[in-house]
Amino acid sequence: MNNDSGAFGAKDTFKLNEKEITIYRLSKLEEEGVCTVSSLPYSIRVLLENLLRNVDGSVVTEDDVKNLAGWVADNVPKTDIPFTPSRVILQDFTGVPAVVDIAAIRSAMERLGGNPEEINPVIPADLVIDHSIQTDCYGSCNAQECNEKYEFQRNRERYELLHWAQNAFDNFRVVPPGSGIIHQVNLENLANVVHFKEQNGELVGVPDTLVGTDSHTTMINGLAVLGWGVGGIEAEAVMLGQPYYMPIPEVVGFKLYGELQEGVTATDLVLTVVQMLREHGVVGKFVEFYGPGYRELTLTDRAILANMGPEYGATMGFCPVDDVTLDYMLMTGRSAEHVEMVKAYCMEQGLFAAADAPDPEYSSTLELDMGTVRPSLAGPKRPQDRILLEDMSSSFHQTMKDVFALKKGGEFEEDSEYSQWLEEGGYSCVEKTHEHHSGISKMKCEDNTSVLSHGSVVIASITSCTNTSNPAVLMGAGLVAKKAVERGLKVKPFVKTSLGPGSRVVTDYLEAAGLMPYLEALGFHLVGYGCLTCIGNSGPLHESISKQIEDKELTAAAVLSGNRNFEGRISPHVKANYLASPMLVVAFALAGNVDVDLTSEPIGCDPNGQPVYLEEIWPTNDEIEQYIADYVKPEMFEAEYSNVFEGTELWRELDAPKGLLYDWDADSTYIQEPPFFQDFPLDIGNMGDIKDARALVFVADSITTDHISPAGAIPPEYPAGKYLISKGVLKENFNSYGSRRGNHEVMMRGTFGNVRLKNKLVPGKEGTWTIYLPDGEEMAIYDASMKYIENDIPLIVVAGKEYGTGSSRDWAAKGTQLLGVKAVIAESYERIHRSNLVGMGVLPLQFKEGESAETLDLNGNETFSILGIPNMQPGGELQVVAKAADGNEKTFNAIVRLNSNIEVEYCRNGGILHKFLRDKAKGE
C-alpha cells in the first residue's frame, strides 16, 4: 500500500478559499473498477468513506472496503464491517453506567498492575444530562424552578460522578442539566455534518458519524449525519477505541412525493411512515428518504422522520445532504465558512443529493403521496398502531372491549354486563348526537369536568424529542392555545399539562411570538428542558386523580407528543397512551377525553354554551409559516449554545470528587462499583455447555426493554424498593430506576420488574413474579434468581418475537446477566438488545423458522441443556434438550445469533468490556 496516497490511491486534496483539504475520494474506487459510486445509496457512501479512510491492514482491510463497495441492491454482501464513528453521544440514564464502567475498568486496571491513565475515551464523547428531571410541579410559573430543584436533590451523587468524569477523562465533555435534550442539542449544535480535523499537519475532511446510547440518536439522520442508537456497552467499547462491527445493511428507499394537505402535520406524516415501514419490515436495515416530496420537506420535518427510526424498526432513516441541510445549519447558528466547506466537501465526495442527481439503487422501495396523509394519533400502547383522528372514538371503544374481555378471561357478548361495567367507571353509553355547525348543538355543555371516567385524559404533555425540534408544530400548538383561549375554552381540571421542550430556543421563539401566555393559560407551563414524559418522568398524578383511577379501575389516557407509549412507561396509573402532534395534545387536553371524534364533534363549549370545533381553532399553514419567519432567528441558537457546557449555578457549585480514580462510597445508594471486573481473571478458560438450566422468565411476543430493564418508579413492595428501605431511604426519596442506574444492587433487583410483565410461569398474574423450580414456589424474579445462583443452577429466558424491542437499555442485558441468565431463546430479537446481550456474555439463540415454544410444546417447567457451545460458529446451530419432569425429552436446534467471530470472542470473554480489559492488561 502507498501510505502517501492511502488505500486504492484515494487520498487526495482540494482547495477552498486558500485552504487545502485532504479527502479520501470515493471516485477513486470507481476509477479502479471496484464499484459505481453514483448507484450506491448515500448512506452506504458515507460508510464506504469511513472504511476507505481507516484502512490500516489490520482492523480495517482493503477487503473490507471491497466487501462494502460490492453492495448491490438485490444481493447485499453477507459479511460484517468494522465501523469507526467519529464521535459518541450519551444521555445520562445510559451515560452514568458507562462512566461507572469506565471508572471500574480504571480501578481494575490498577489492581491488575496496569496503568489506569491508559483508560480514557479514544473517540470523543459528549454526555448530555437530560433524562433525570421529572414533572413533579406543573401548571404554574415556578414549575421549572421547582422541578430543577428536585432534580438536583435527587441526583446529586450522579451529577457529582459526571462532574468528576468531565475533569478526569480526556476526550469527554458534559452538557449540564437544563440545557436541552440530547437529540435536539445534537441536531442544533453538536453535529457538524462534516468535521475538518488537523491530523499530522493536514486539514482532513471527515463526515460526521456517531453512535449514541439512546435509540433516538437516529434523529441526527435528518441532518445527514450517519448515526444510530447502540447499547451502552457497545458505546463504551467504541469510546475506548474498539470498532463497531456491523453487518452490511440492506437499504430501503422511501420515496416521498406530493405535499401535506392543510391541517396535516409532520407528526401525522411520521406516524403514517412508521405504520408503512413496520408492515414492510425494516428491522436491521437502513431506510433512506428521497423524491420530490422529500426535497420540499423542511429539515425539522426530516428530523421527525429520522427520530422515529426505532419505531419503524430500522437501524436508521437517513436524509442525504442538500441545500435544505445547509440552510438549517445557517439558521441554527453554524458559521457561513463551515457551511461552505461542508457543501464543497460533499460535492467533491458525491455526497450532495442534488435535485438532478440520479436516484440510487435500493434493496426495496416504498412510495407515499403525502397528499394522502391524514391527521392521526398512535396507540394505545404501540407507536406503529396508527389511528385516524376521525376513528379515535371507535378505536378507544375497541380498547375498552379488549380490557373487559381480559377482565372476563376470554370472549364475551356485548350485553348489559359490559354496559354496566362501563357505567360503573363513569362511562356513558348514551349515543352522542349533534348537528355540526348548525348553530344549535344537541350536545350538552354541562360542567361534569371534575368527574373521571374511562378515557379521561389525565396527562397531556408537549414533551421533547420527536416534535419539539420542529417550530411548525410548536408554533402551531401555541396558535391552537391562543385561539382556544380567545374562545373561552379551558382545560379540564384533572388533566396534568406540561411543556417540556428539547431546547431552550423553543421558549425563546414562543415568548418572542407572544404565544407562551396562551399556552400557560391552558396549563402548558414550562416544566423543564429534558426527556420528561416520554421516558416515563411524567411525575405523580394528583392523589385524588390516582385514587379515582384505582377505585373505579379506570382506563385513563395520556396524550403526548413523544415517540414511546409502551405499557407501564408513561405512568403506572395510565393504561391508554397516545402519540400525537403538540397541536393535538392541546386539543385533547381541552376535550378531556379520548372518546371523541374531533373532526365532527365539538372540542368543548364556550362560556355561552356554544360548541367550539377543532377546525375553528386550528391555524392555517400560512399562519404558522409566517410566525416561523418572524420569530425563529439564528441569534437565538447562537445565544443559547454559546455557553452550553457551563451549566447553571446549581451545576457549577457541585462538590465533585477529583483525581485519576473514582473514590467508591460503599454507603452510596446511587453509585457502586459493579462486580463485572472484580476478582477478574486474565485467563478465560473454556466456555462449556449449559446443562440443566431452568427458565427464569417465559414470555410471549413484543417484550420490550421497558419490561426487562428497570425503568420508571420503584415500587416499595418490590425487591429494589425493599433494598432501598433497608438502606434507610424513604419512599419519597426513591427517585426512579433510571436515576439509580449506577447502582447494580438496585438495578439487578429491578430487572424484569415491570408491573405489566406477563411471565407465563405465573399465568394470570402481572409483575415481577416467577416460579422457583422444581419446588413450584411463587416468588419475586430477583429472589428466585438468587436462590438458583446459590444452588449453582444456570438460567435461561424463553421468549417470542421481537424480544427486547424499544429503548437501547444496557441494563436490560446487564441485569439479565447478573440474575444468572446464561442464554436467551427467542423467536426474534430487536437489534440493539441482541447486541447488548452479546456485550454482556449472554448467548442469544433463536428458534428456527416455523418453530417456537408453542410449536415445540414447551411450558417453561423443563430443564434445558444447550450443547455444542465450545465449537459454536456465528450463525450456526446448537442443540437444545428440554427435559420435562416426567423424563420426556424434546430436542431441537436453535440458531446462534452471534453475527461474527468477534462476537463469539465477546461471549467467550463474558462480554465486550471484559475482552477490552484483558487485552489492555496483557498489553495487546
Side-chain angles (χ1 to χ4, degrees), residues 319 675 882:
C319 300

Side-chain angles (χ1 to χ4, degrees), residues 683-749:
D683 295 319
I684 60 174
N686 296 320
M687 185 178 184
D689 291 333
I690 298 170
K691 296 183 178 179
D692 298 324
R694 289 289 186 178
L696 180 66
V697 176
F698 184 30
V699 288
D701 297 344
S702 298
I703 293 298
T704 72
T705 49
D706 280 29
H707 290 108
I708 307 167
S709 177
I714 303 174
E717 69 276 12
Y718 272 28
K722 291 178 180 179
Y723 164 81
L724 290 174
I725 290 170
S726 75
K727 294 293 182 180
V729 180
L730 299 176
K731 180 183 174 183
E732 56 265 31
N733 295 326
F734 275 10
N735 210 335
S736 65
Y737 279 118
S739 66
R740 293 188 182 271
R741 284 187 178 182
N743 184 346
H744 64 278
E745 296 288 358
V746 171
M747 298 305 283
M748 63 192 291
R749 286 168 170 81

Side-chain angles (χ1 to χ4, degrees), residues 529-783:
Y529 302 97
C531 198
L532 293 157
T533 298
C534 195
I535 193 63
N537 288 358
S538 57
L541 298 177
H542 192 280
E543 187 177 345
S544 64
I545 304 299
S546 56
K547 187 175 187 304
Q548 284 190 67
I549 293 172
E550 291 173 353
D551 290 349
K552 296 181 181 180
E553 297 183 349
L554 296 178
T555 298
V559 183
L560 62 147
S561 66
N563 47 41
R564 290 280 161 88
N565 57 344
F566 301 131
E567 286 184 297
R569 181 185 182 98
I570 306 305
S571 166
H573 289 100
V574 180
K575 293 181 180 178
N577 301 286
Y578 298 94
L579 307 180
S581 70
M583 300 159 79
L584 285 179
V585 169
V586 176
F588 276 96
L590 292 165
N593 202 295
V594 293
D595 178 20
V596 61
D597 173 8
L598 291 181
T599 66
S600 62
E601 297 178 48
I603 196 170
C605 294
D606 68 15
N608 298 308
Q610 292 302 305
V612 179
Y613 293 86
L614 181 60
E615 63 188 58
E616 297 177 73
I617 61 171
W618 196 269
T620 66
N621 292 349
D622 286 345
E623 283 181 272
I624 294 171
E625 289 172 8
Q626 190 61 54
Y627 266 78
I628 294 172
D630 290 345
Y631 300 111
V632 182
K633 302 297 181 183
E635 50 266 31
M636 293 177 174
F637 294 89
E638 293 169 8
E640 291 293 0
Y641 287 110
S642 63
N643 57 355
V644 70
F645 296 104
E646 294 179 12
T648 62
E649 186 176 349
L650 287 170
W651 173 259
R652 295 193 296 272
E653 290 180 349
L654 284 173
D655 184 20
K658 294 177 175 59
L660 181 66
L661 299 175
Y662 187 73
D663 186 15
W664 304 101
D665 179 2
D667 294 326
S668 173
T669 58
Y670 277 95
I671 308 295
Q672 286 292 319
E673 183 175 8
F676 310 128
F677 314 113
Q678 297 179 16
D679 301 320
F680 191 76
L682 284 180
D683 295 319
I684 60 174
N686 296 320
M687 185 178 184
D689 291 333
I690 298 170
K691 296 183 178 179
D692 298 324
R694 289 289 186 178
L696 180 66
V697 176
F698 184 30
V699 288
D701 297 344
S702 298
I703 293 298
T704 72
T705 49
D706 280 29
H707 290 108
I708 307 167
S709 177
I714 303 174
E717 69 276 12
Y718 272 28
K722 291 178 180 179
Y723 164 81
L724 290 174
I725 290 170
S726 75
K727 294 293 182 180
V729 180
L730 299 176
K731 180 183 174 183
E732 56 265 31
N733 295 326
F734 275 10
N735 210 335
S736 65
Y737 279 118
S739 66
R740 293 188 182 271
R741 284 187 178 182
N743 184 346
H744 64 278
E745 296 288 358
V746 171
M747 298 305 283
M748 63 192 291
R749 286 168 170 81
T751 302
F752 295 109
N754 189 297
V755 295
R756 302 293 178 211
L757 180 70
K758 298 179 180 66
N759 186 355
K760 292 184 182 180
L761 296 176
V762 280
K765 193 166 186 176
E766 292 183 335
T768 186
W769 305 107
T770 193
I771 297 293
Y772 180 81
L773 298 167
D775 301 357
E777 182 183 356
E778 184 179 295
M779 61 180 69
I781 287 172
Y782 168 79
D783 295 333

Side-chain angles (χ1 to χ4, degrees), residues 56-267:
D56 59 2
S58 175
V59 176
V60 183
T61 67
E62 290 194 358
D63 284 341
D64 291 322
V65 175
K66 290 178 180 176
N67 286 336
L68 182 58
W71 192 98
V72 289
D74 57 355
N75 189 21
V76 175
K78 305 296 183 185
T79 186
D80 279 17
I81 53 172
F83 172 46
T84 309
S86 64
R87 59 191 178 99
V88 174
I89 194 164
L90 311 96
Q91 39 93 331
D92 57 305
F93 268 17
T94 46
V96 164
V99 170
V100 167
D101 284 349
I102 297 175
I105 292 174
R106 269 195 177 178
S107 296
M109 191 71 167
E110 185 182 54
R111 289 193 295 267
L112 292 168
N115 181 5
E117 285 188 275
E118 293 181 1
I119 309 299
N120 275 301
V122 175
I123 301 296
D126 290 310
L127 188 151
V128 182
I129 302 175
D130 66 345
H131 273 48
S132 298
I133 189 169
Q134 75 174 38
T135 310
D136 291 282
C137 308
Y138 66 100
S140 65
C141 292
N142 70 338
Q144 177 194 5
E145 180 183 359
C146 171
N147 292 326
E148 289 181 350
K149 178 182 176 184
Y150 279 125
E151 176 191 5
F152 270 81
Q153 287 177 354
R154 292 175 177 134
N155 297 286
R156 181 167 295 275
E157 287 186 58
R158 300 170 66 245
Y159 289 177
E160 288 172 352
L161 167 77
L162 297 178
H163 213 295
W164 166 80
Q166 189 176 31
N167 297 314
F169 294 137
D170 298 332
N171 267 339
F172 186 78
R173 300 186 300 184
V174 174
V175 176
S179 305
I181 190 172
I182 175 173
H183 311 305
Q184 206 160 336
V185 172
N186 195 16
L187 185 76
E188 294 177 353
N189 180 256
L190 300 179
N192 292 319
V193 182
V194 179
H195 307 289
F196 296 95
K197 298 181 175 181
E198 291 285 349
Q199 295 178 353
N200 301 319
E202 299 176 324
L203 184 63
V204 183
V206 177
D208 189 358
T209 58
L210 71 152
V211 292
T213 57
D214 190 283
S215 301
H216 297 97
T217 299
T218 55
M219 189 170 192
I220 205 60
N221 305 153
L223 193 63
V225 174
L226 194 80
W228 55 85
V230 299
I233 303 148
E234 292 172 307
E236 292 169 42
V238 169
M239 287 167 61
L240 296 171
Q242 303 295 294
Y244 175 80
Y245 288 91
M246 57 179 288
I248 295 175
E250 294 181 29
V251 183
V252 177
F254 199 110
K255 184 176 183 178
L256 295 167
Y257 62 96
E259 60 182 20
L260 297 176
Q261 295 181 359
E262 189 72 41
V264 178
T265 68
T267 313

Side-chain angles (χ1 to χ4, degrees), residues 119-444:
I119 309 299
N120 275 301
V122 175
I123 301 296
D126 290 310
L127 188 151
V128 182
I129 302 175
D130 66 345
H131 273 48
S132 298
I133 189 169
Q134 75 174 38
T135 310
D136 291 282
C137 308
Y138 66 100
S140 65
C141 292
N142 70 338
Q144 177 194 5
E145 180 183 359
C146 171
N147 292 326
E148 289 181 350
K149 178 182 176 184
Y150 279 125
E151 176 191 5
F152 270 81
Q153 287 177 354
R154 292 175 177 134
N155 297 286
R156 181 167 295 275
E157 287 186 58
R158 300 170 66 245
Y159 289 177
E160 288 172 352
L161 167 77
L162 297 178
H163 213 295
W164 166 80
Q166 189 176 31
N167 297 314
F169 294 137
D170 298 332
N171 267 339
F172 186 78
R173 300 186 300 184
V174 174
V175 176
S179 305
I181 190 172
I182 175 173
H183 311 305
Q184 206 160 336
V185 172
N186 195 16
L187 185 76
E188 294 177 353
N189 180 256
L190 300 179
N192 292 319
V193 182
V194 179
H195 307 289
F196 296 95
K197 298 181 175 181
E198 291 285 349
Q199 295 178 353
N200 301 319
E202 299 176 324
L203 184 63
V204 183
V206 177
D208 189 358
T209 58
L210 71 152
V211 292
T213 57
D214 190 283
S215 301
H216 297 97
T217 299
T218 55
M219 189 170 192
I220 205 60
N221 305 153
L223 193 63
V225 174
L226 194 80
W228 55 85
V230 299
I233 303 148
E234 292 172 307
E236 292 169 42
V238 169
M239 287 167 61
L240 296 171
Q242 303 295 294
Y244 175 80
Y245 288 91
M246 57 179 288
I248 295 175
E250 294 181 29
V251 183
V252 177
F254 199 110
K255 184 176 183 178
L256 295 167
Y257 62 96
E259 60 182 20
L260 297 176
Q261 295 181 359
E262 189 72 41
V264 178
T265 68
T267 313
D268 303 318
L269 173 62
V270 75
L271 293 179
T272 304
V273 169
V274 166
Q275 186 180 45
M276 290 176 65
L277 285 170
R278 272 289 175 185
E279 291 172 356
H280 184 75
V282 293
V283 173
K285 302 176 184 178
F286 286 4
V287 170
E288 188 166 293
F289 296 99
Y290 72 109
Y294 164 75
R295 289 194 292 273
E296 295 301 317
L297 287 177
T298 66
L299 194 290
T300 51
D301 286 352
R302 295 176 184 184
I304 288 180
L305 285 175
N307 176 278
M308 291 189 75
E311 279 64 52
Y312 43 82
T315 302
M316 67 169 188
F318 191 69
C319 300
V321 176
D322 61 9
D323 286 326
V324 173
T325 315
L326 305 177
D327 289 343
Y328 178 80
M329 294 179 74
L330 292 171
M331 193 268 284
T332 49
R334 273 84 167 190
S335 74
E337 180 187 17
H338 179 73
V339 174
E340 184 183 10
M341 291 173 70
V342 168
K343 182 172 184 177
Y345 175 88
C346 291
M347 296 288 285
E348 290 277 340
Q349 196 64 289
L351 297 178
F352 191 87
D356 58 354
D359 292 337
E361 296 177 4
Y362 295 110
S363 307
S364 60
T365 58
L366 286 86
E367 295 187 2
L368 174 63
D369 177 357
M370 294 193 294
T372 65
V373 175
R374 294 156 70 187
S376 306
L377 296 91
K381 58 184 179 181
R382 297 196 311 177
Q384 64 263 42
D385 295 334
R386 186 171 65 100
I387 306 163
L388 292 176
L389 181 60
E390 64 203 59
D391 294 336
M392 191 63 197
S393 180
S394 58
S395 175
F396 183 71
H397 274 280
Q398 184 57 55
T399 296
M400 292 308 301
K401 290 173 185 176
D402 294 342
V403 169
F404 187 65
L406 183 64
K407 184 180 180 69
K408 296 294 291 183
E411 297 293 329
F412 71 95
E413 295 181 5
E414 191 171 351
D415 54 15
S416 58
E417 184 182 8
Y418 173 59
S419 299
Q420 181 180 349
W421 174 70
L422 291 177
E423 293 286 358
E424 288 171 356
Y427 194 82
S428 175
C429 299
V430 177
E431 183 180 353
K432 292 178 286 187
T433 61
H434 62 278
E435 296 177 10
H436 188 46
H437 290 301
S438 64
I440 301 175
S441 173
K442 294 181 181 178
M443 292 190 70
K444 294 182 178 179

